[in-house]
Amino acid sequence: MPGLILFGRRWAIASDDFVYPSFGEGLTRIAWEIVLIVILSAHQSGFECLHGHDLKSFYIGATVLNGIEIIIVIILLRISMQGTIKNPWPRRNIQRVLYTKIFMYVSEAVWLCISTYWAFGHDYTCSRSVYWTARAAVICSWIIGFFTFIAIAVAFDPMGSLKKRNLTSLEDGGREVYDVTISPSEVWEKRCRLLCCCVAHREDMGAAFAEIGKIVADFFKDLDLVPTDIAAGLILVQEKQVHSDGQLRVVVTSNDASEIQSTSSQLEPSLPQPKSWMTIFNMAHYMKYAMGSYGWPFYMYEHFFTGLCGLCFHCRCCSCLRKSNNVFKDNICQCNSAAIKKLSGLKQNDLVYVTFKNQFKQVPFYVALDREKNTVVVSIRGTLSLQDAVTDLSAKGADLDIPGVRDSYCHAAMLDCANYIKSQLESLNLLETAFSKLHDGAGLVITGHSLGAGVAAILAVLLRPKYPHLMCFSFSPPGGLMSTNASKFTQDFVCSVVVGKDLVPRLGMYTLVDLKVKILKALCETNKPKYRILASGCWRLVCCIGPSQETSGRHLQPTQSQSKYSEERSSLLQGKTIQEALRDAELQLEEVKKTQWPLHPAGQILHVLEMNDASLPCSGDPQYFAVWSEAQCFDKIVISNKMVFDHFPNTVSHALDQLAGRNYIPQTYDATTA
């Protein structure tokens, strides 16, 4: 921070990002220098042949150029280690070194082209080992050059041109920079379309990509940060969160109070009594159905070596010639349906309807008979495709019609998915057909994981007028799902499960902007060089140790030279300092509180937590306990190396199975017994 200015444009890399690349390049070039010198010495007498002097010239030239590059890399490494994230003044001369380095890259490229002609353009009378070694060296040089080009392309910022930036006056007297040829939202829209190129051509997804581009552009507005700055900020935020008290506030106790760690919660008797069917056993049981909806990819992930053998006995090969009346859009061997049966324990005649049709706002689902529980199960698949990811990111709100409930709204794209499934259930009479195959008094259960969990909760709201006794198990639901009033309305029939520090139930516009503020604040307060921050984060991840107790709250007072550098850069970029960006982010956070609809997970939420330190990946097989928690307890993102893995369906299933094996029964806290 800030982004590097080179060739009249801003790059997605900072002047302190060359420490580790330069170190790696330096080691590579030193090894290459040794190889060139050894080959040149070993073949000294072998160059006495037709065109042999050309090969010798190649080795000498490559050795000299590579030696000069080693010196430049050492200088670049030394300069990049100076200063801190917000104090780039000690690195002010790094552009000159980079211009010199780029000149040497061009010289090496020209010499490599000439050497390629020498190595492959002549017929040599030398020993085969002499000229084939030279050819191999040329090929290796081209490979190194290719990866160098890839690294430069990654650092390229399509909006970095300074010549295209114009200055406009704002009402408050400030100034804003914008690109006259393309807006930030259009850039992010194009990036999303490129990432999702397989589905970007669909007309029904055009508005979704535009909306996603606008959301991402608004989030990164006025931030002169590069990706490594954000990574360093996340590491610093994690250190603060680990050392802060009351990181997770939960509401409820368990049947064994001794198992609950003192750091886990502050108990408050504010939740209603969980329903009798909201048990760990039922959660573990119906989680199998939620996992089954992911089909064969998840089964192979769970059983990497034995999965193929496990599925082959349940597949229907050449199913295109023997079409099934209740399975649609599966592959030729119906591997997805086979995985459903393997993961959930169902038989073929228990599957009433299975569809893997996957389009934008149309997610796969299946209807099955649970003869053990005498229930009809509707299981909805979570995110597994680009269409699903676009559905997740289409975070626009929509009204959710609940009679008697004011301010009821939810995630618009997930509401469309729920309406799609509801229309399929009604038009095909799927539920009526399923109930006719079970005993009288059969119940209805709707379940899903991740995206499927959000759709399942909304579908439960839509179907409840017709099926008032339905039950919904929502595993790892998205945080930006429904409004506070709608979430409270679902507490009688929706049971959500969140494991550990899962990121998804905490995602929302407010939590993202709050994280943005925390990152900027952490970067403002630290006086540690970025390479040390990144090294400490990697060290903790690889060596399985907790954050150090070293504080990073000391402020650096800007020197006169540093202030002069900041003024010169500001006049060039017309951008904002990190302190100004922090103030703008805090204002944006206040604006989000006033204008954005607050969205939460649905129903009553069981929070499954680890007894041992969840931040340490090498802490062994975790032991879990569970507490009932409020939706408002997930109003901030917790940075952890498990924030993604805690979302995986196999992690959720393992945690619930462990609790069920211990007969764990969470109970609502009763103030009268305290």
Side-chain angles (χ1 to χ4, degrees), residues 229-285:
D229 292 333
I230 299 175
L234 290 173
I235 293 173
L236 294 173
V237 171
Q238 182 192 18
E239 290 182 358
K240 289 189 175 183
Q241 288 180 340
V242 170
H243 293 306
S244 64
D245 294 329
Q247 179 175 311
L248 297 176
R249 184 176 63 89
V250 290
V251 183
V252 184
T253 180
S254 73
N255 57 312
D256 187 357
S258 62
E259 291 182 343
I260 300 182
Q261 296 175 331
S262 60
T263 59
S264 67
S265 66
Q266 175 184 356
L267 300 178
E268 298 177 5
S270 59
L271 287 180
Q273 180 72 26
K275 302 301 178 182
S276 59
W277 52 269
M278 295 182 181
T279 64
I280 296 292
F281 295 98
N282 283 342
M283 297 175 200
H285 178 77

Side-chain angles (χ1 to χ4, degrees), residues 204 293-294 328-329 353-367 378-392 411 413-425 430 446-459:
D204 58 342
S293 63
Y294 283 100
F328 301 91
K329 298 293 182 178
Y353 181 83
V354 181
T355 175
F356 287 94
K357 180 181 180 181
N358 190 199
Q359 296 180 4
F360 179 51
K361 299 181 181 180
Q362 295 184 6
V363 294
F365 71 97
Y366 69 92
V367 180
V378 179
S379 179
I380 305 170
R381 197 187 76 181
T383 303
L384 197 63
S385 68
L386 294 176
Q387 294 94 325
D388 298 334
V390 175
T391 300
D392 284 320
H411 192 290
M414 295 185 190
L415 175 60
D416 291 337
C417 291
N419 280 318
Y420 159 73
I421 296 177
K422 181 174 180 288
S423 66
Q424 293 292 103
L425 296 176
L430 297 178
I446 305 174
T447 188
H449 173 267
S450 188
L451 169 64
V455 176
I458 298 175
L459 179 63

Side-chain angles (χ1 to χ4, degrees), residues 57 85 205 257 277 297 325 492 518 523 525 530 577:
S57 299
I85 295 177
M205 301 186 72
W277 52 269
N325 294 326
D492 289 338
K518 291 177 180 177
L523 294 177
E525 294 176 351
K530 187 194 299 182
T577 65

Side-chain angles (χ1 to χ4, degrees), residues 268-341:
E268 298 177 5
S270 59
L271 287 180
Q273 180 72 26
K275 302 301 178 182
S276 59
W277 52 269
M278 295 182 181
T279 64
I280 296 292
F281 295 98
N282 283 342
M283 297 175 200
H285 178 77
Y286 288 108
M287 182 60 204
K288 309 300 182 188
Y289 290 87
M291 286 197 302
S293 63
Y294 283 100
W296 72 266
F298 178 75
Y299 184 81
M300 292 299 298
Y301 168 77
E302 274 279 85
H303 309 84
F304 187 78
F305 295 103
T306 61
L308 187 61
C309 296
L311 287 179
C312 65
F313 295 105
H314 294 271
C315 293
R316 299 179 72 248
C317 294
C318 301
S319 60
C320 56
L321 302 177
R322 302 181 299 156
K323 292 187 177 180
S324 175
N325 294 326
N326 62 340
V327 179
F328 301 91
K329 298 293 182 178
D330 203 346
N331 53 37
I332 189 172
C333 293
Q334 293 191 356
C335 296
N336 289 304
S337 301
I340 291 177
K341 290 179 282 187

